[in-house]
Amino acid sequence: MSSSQLLKGILEGCLLSIIDGRETYGYEMVEKLASYGFTMVSEGSIYPLLLRMKKEGLVKTTSKPLPSGGPKRKYYQLTAEGQAELDDFKERWAAISSSVDNILGRN
């Protein structure tokens, strides 16, 4: 598995977590990811993931006008399936990260 494939899997779980609890638009997700250290992630890399997540029924979208006018902005929300996937991701991540930390001698 390449590092980009690994990052995509982790990124999907992180996006679900960012969206959890409130509507969020794409650029806002990029800013949030960067604030947590994912500085290598651009808008262009998350939109294909968001599109796939929408096709899989993990997120739904709502278009809303900008307060300043201009084109509508697309907001993402978790569906029940997305919430279940996020819960599964959290469990898988806890198990995997704990195992890797043990192997690397951090625990």
Side-chain angles (χ1 to χ4, degrees):
M1 174 180 279
S2 73
S3 61
S4 65
Q5 288 173 317
L6 181 61
L7 180 59
K8 283 180 188 175
I10 293 169
L11 191 54
E12 181 177 312
C14 291
L15 289 173
L16 290 171
S17 184
I18 289 170
I19 298 168
D20 187 28
R22 68 187 276 284
E23 319 182 288
T24 312
Y25 60 93
Y27 186 72
E28 186 178 16
M29 290 181 227
V30 172
E31 289 179 325
K32 193 74 154 172
L33 287 167
S35 74
Y36 285 105
F38 284 91
T39 55
M40 75 300 271
V41 178
S42 67
E43 278 184 272
S45 62
I46 68 162
Y47 285 114
L49 284 173
L50 291 168
L51 180 60
R52 185 174 52 76
M53 290 164 54
K54 183 178 178 186
K55 286 180 181 178
E56 292 175 355
L58 303 178
V59 297
K60 62 182 179 178
T61 60
T62 306
S63 293
K64 296 182 180 182
L66 295 172
S68 61
K72 291 183 176 184
R73 180 178 283 161
K74 189 182 291 187
Y75 286 84
Y76 295 84
Q77 295 175 298
L78 287 188
T79 61
E81 294 85 358
Q83 186 63 57
E85 181 63 27
L86 174 58
D87 294 342
D88 288 346
F89 174 80
K90 287 178 179 180
E91 288 179 24
R92 290 188 310 265
W93 180 255
I96 290 169
S97 63
S98 174
S99 298
V100 171
D101 285 345
N102 285 332
I103 289 171
L104 296 176
R106 293 188 179 149
N107 285 342

